[in-house]
Amino acid sequence: MKEKISVLAISGSTRAQSSNHQLIHGITKKYADKIAVTFFDDLTTLPFFNPDIDNETPPASVTAFREAVRAADAVLICTPEYAIGVPGVLKNALDWAVSNMAFSQKPVALITAGTAGFHAHKSLLGTLLIIESSISEDMQLVISAVKTKIDTAGNITNTETSEKINKLIDATIAAVQGNSDLTFLQPPPMMQA
């Protein structure tokens, strides 16, 4: 029997009853035979990103976040869209991960789940690619109208959504295992002035 891969799950929502929290818990249960999920719920403990304190001794909460990312085989991000953008607490966490390259070559599965989600998803995907996360086409998903597709326990009640999440989890496992058939997305071209 193959060893389960370790996944660090991060929700972009700080709300206790968030659909994204519920989705993470549902995925944790559904794929318990394939992945061992650790839920990182300390994003609110991270100070606002400040390059002046991003030095040899950054705040302890920042060190803990970076170490959690580095220790995991893969990262699963489930996030809502706020005002057609990425939630500030999630973007702040990613800003703290830039200088130490914790996400570099790290397989990342990205789910944007909310009322719509396309704007935040595109922005967040660009950020993750520019910090060198490994993401294939099958490792990203937008779940619009999420409350109609999962129940309050996080069980996926929509067949099409369930199939897409199956594909996302399988692709993430393949990325961890070094499957050479995967094609990872490339960062968007940088604009020059």
Side-chain angles (χ1 to χ4, degrees):
M1 186 170 120
K2 291 183 181 174
E3 190 176 331
K4 293 191 279 190
I5 67 165
S6 63
V7 175
L8 181 70
I10 301 169
S11 172
S13 176
T14 56
R15 193 165 57 90
Q17 297 304 313
S18 163
S19 296
N20 285 275
H21 285 41
Q22 293 164 351
L23 186 55
I24 287 170
H25 292 303
I27 288 171
T28 300
K29 285 187 294 184
K30 183 174 181 182
Y31 301 98
D33 61 326
K34 296 181 178 183
I35 59 176
V37 177
T38 301
F39 186 72
F40 186 87
D41 58 357
D42 290 337
L43 290 187
T44 57
T45 68
L46 299 176
F48 293 126
F49 176 69
N50 181 346
D52 290 339
I53 59 172
D54 188 11
N55 50 36
E56 296 79 28
T57 55
S61 58
V62 170
T63 300
F65 173 65
R66 290 171 169 174
E67 288 177 355
V69 171
R70 282 190 188 267
D73 293 323
V75 175
L76 167 65
I77 297 175
C78 291
T79 184
E81 179 177 79
Y82 288 168
I84 71 165
V86 178
V89 69
L90 178 56
K91 180 60 168 69
N92 183 58
L94 294 177
D95 288 344
W96 277 113
V98 172
S99 66
N100 79 325
M101 301 185 70
F103 278 84
S104 182
Q105 308 310 306
K106 181 72 63 177
V108 176
L110 172 60
I111 299 175
T112 308
T115 305
F118 296 98
H119 295 285
H121 189 84
K122 182 178 178 183
S123 175
L124 187 53
L125 181 60
T127 298
L128 289 165
L129 292 176
I130 210 72
I131 62 174
E132 302 179 352
S133 299
S134 296
I135 305 173
S136 72
E137 197 63 48
D138 289 338
M139 293 166 66
Q140 55 159 331
L141 176 62
V142 176
I143 305 175
S144 297
V146 67
K147 289 181 186 270
T148 67
K149 297 172 180 171
I150 64 170
D151 63 22
T152 55
N155 298 306
I156 302 147
T157 56
N158 177 276
T159 303
E160 183 181 359
T161 301
S162 181
E163 289 170 357
K164 288 178 178 177
I165 292 175
N166 284 341
K167 188 183 280 190
L168 178 138
I169 295 298
D170 287 344
T172 304
I173 292 169
V176 170
Q177 294 173 342
N179 185 325
S180 59
D181 293 335
L182 288 175
T183 301
F184 294 115
L185 301 173
Q186 296 302 308
M190 298 294 281
M191 304 249 335
Q192 302 245 343

